[in-house]
Amino acid sequence: MQRRIVSLWFPRLAAERSLRARPVDAPFALSLFDRNSERLYDLCPRAEGFGLSRGMTLVHARSFCPGLLTRPADPATDQRFLAVLARWATRYCPWIGLDGRNGLFLDITGSAHLMGGEEPLLDDIRARLARAGLTARLGLADTPGTAWALARFSEGIAAPGERLSRIGPLPLSALRLADQTCTSLERLGIATVSDLYNLPRATVARRYDREVLTRLDQALGTLPEQISPLSEDRIFAVRITLPDPIGLVDDVMAAARRLTDHLCRRLDAAQKGARALKLTFRRVDQENRSVELKLARPMRDGARLLALFERGVSTVDAGYGIDMIRLEAIAVEPLGMRQLDRSEGLEKDGLDDLITQLGNRVGLDNILRFQPVDSHIPERSFKLVPAAHSRPAPGWPHHRPRPIRLFAPEPISGAGFEPPRRFRWRGRALSVLEAEGPERITPAWWDPDDTWDKGLRDYWRIATGEGLRLWLFHTPQAPGWFVQGEFG
């Protein structure tokens, strides 16, 4: 079967995407900061009518067209929009590839007859994109290179075997060559693809980069060129359309229960767990309301998800009624099978649900837990990490007793190498009843720390007559006593 490729080019993709979201009735352009100045990134036909072009500085453009309206360009959003168009194009064939930042390749081999032939297929693509407010140019041939050239320089269809006859009269840039290479060839009188084809290959190979002959051979089919299909990101979303509007919380939760059960079955089949979900309600007045839920752990338990959504659903304004509900897992993570006894599973699930409920009020990153760190320095023996992105440590090291509360060293009066019998700390007079120590800790010589500028420390655990149990240390190299912790 003869291979057939469609090149779909959107010459004004960025500008038309922006105008679809916020239409304007005036000359319009997108600008982007480049080469130390604000320059035109893309523009509409009305702006082009004033002599404006891409790459022109914004100041220069406004001198030609004082009424020019501009917005900042957003290339990342443009690429996401192009990916959406690629998914839409799967209605015509299953094999879609990206072509730069404003084009697509469609491998329609064996599928054109489903639309009545190649010409009706291209007509259908043009009509649908025109209704969507997008300008498109199409080329169809049996190689990606020829289809690309037709889409940009001579829109139409090249029948099998007509590659050279169709692209031969086109300029050298139709071969996807660099501007510098095209300029160099044109200075020698080589202006078209046919001129290049008629030159001795050895001469071209000696004087120019290998890319010149590679692009020519790809366009003419003597060198194969593959289309890399898009890796499709699976979307986990379900929705329900209601025959009659609903507004009561119980009715909304009943519909949401069906959605969560169905979504969790899909997640289970894919061995995934939802990390963030969005429940969207469409009201009869076409307004949308949504509830987002960020989870402390990947989850696919429908009953638990529904319970966590209940508080947010109760705050939704249903207006005159809700006629559609959509549930989407906007962030998923791998979640394999796990085997737990019932008590362990309930305990962990309950803690995760509590973190989720609190986190959706104050932010998941604001709920922290302590984790041990392999360090003999007391201040560095632990760290604080978000509870939603970590698991409890299986065990803390118990080499020596450590205080429950640890704070920056606070100086107290004292002399000698043993704890003072009496001292004042935080405005209180304290007397020592028992003292256990010393435990000598030396600073990490390989990692200097300004808080250990007095050298090694001798730590003591003391019990005071006033009921406090403190952690004191003495610095022999620069004599002094300090309190650094308090036991429970």
Side-chain angles (χ1 to χ4, degrees), residues 45-72:
R46 289 181 63 178
E48 290 178 345
F50 284 87
L52 308 185
S53 61
R54 294 168 184 81
M56 179 183 291
T57 63
L58 186 56
V59 174
H60 193 194
R62 291 197 185 280
S63 67
F64 281 87
C65 180
L68 179 68
L69 298 180
T70 63
R71 294 175 194 156

Side-chain angles (χ1 to χ4, degrees), residues 5-9 99 103-106 122 137-141 143-152:
I5 305 295
V6 173
S7 176
L8 182 54
W9 178 44
D99 176 23
L104 299 172
F105 281 125
L106 287 66
L122 297 188
R137 292 174 60 89
L138 295 94
L140 196 159
T143 66
T146 299
W148 189 94
L150 293 177
R152 286 155 178 79

